Amino acid sequence: MGDRVIAALWEFEVAAEQAAEFERQYGPNGAWARLFRRATGYVETTLLRDEVRPGRYVTIDWWESAEAYDRFRAVHAAAYEALDTACEALTIAERRLGRFASVTRAP
């Protein structure tokens, strides 16, 4: 990995009754990570649960470069949209926090 490792961050609000399934689908071995693994340049997914605000999660999807992430989004757009639609019922709300460059280290 080079020094241009990036992370795509998303924030989710999840109802208590959907939390377990959400964690399965959005965790490091879930459906999203399996989709990302189809692409060259995917590194790993981190799932964070807020300890103060119940039902709030953040995902961090690590990529070797912005180019790798952009290439994945272009090549796998249909599969991405299909999975997003399939997982819609698991969340109350979702918000893209952005794409960030790693300053200190790669995962």
Side-chain angles (χ1 to χ4, degrees):
M1 274 180 281
D3 59 350
R4 299 190 62 218
V5 173
I6 63 108
L9 278 73
W10 289 82
E11 176 185 42
F12 299 90
E13 185 179 341
V14 178
E17 62 272 10
Q18 297 294 344
E21 183 62 17
F22 175 86
E23 290 178 14
R24 271 192 292 281
Q25 297 301 326
Y26 286 79
N29 296 308
W32 285 101
R34 289 192 305 272
L35 174 61
F36 299 153
R37 283 188 197 109
R38 295 182 191 174
T40 301
Y42 170 70
V43 178
E44 69 181 18
T45 293
T46 303
L47 176 61
L48 305 173
R49 181 179 47 236
D50 192 320
E51 290 189 332
V52 176
R53 198 168 106 201
R56 181 176 179 233
Y57 291 84
V58 172
T59 59
I60 307 171
D61 302 313
W62 291 97
W63 295 84
E64 290 179 357
S65 67
E67 294 79 13
Y69 177 73
D70 292 341
R71 188 172 44 253
F72 159 77
R73 289 297 303 258
V75 171
H76 298 282
Y80 186 100
E81 290 304 318
L83 184 55
D84 192 46
T85 299
C87 290
E88 223 169 62
L90 299 177
T91 63
I92 297 166
E94 71 178 75
R95 180 170 66 108
R96 182 177 188 262
L97 298 177
R99 186 166 74 185
F100 298 82
S102 177
V103 175
T104 57
R105 65 168 184 83

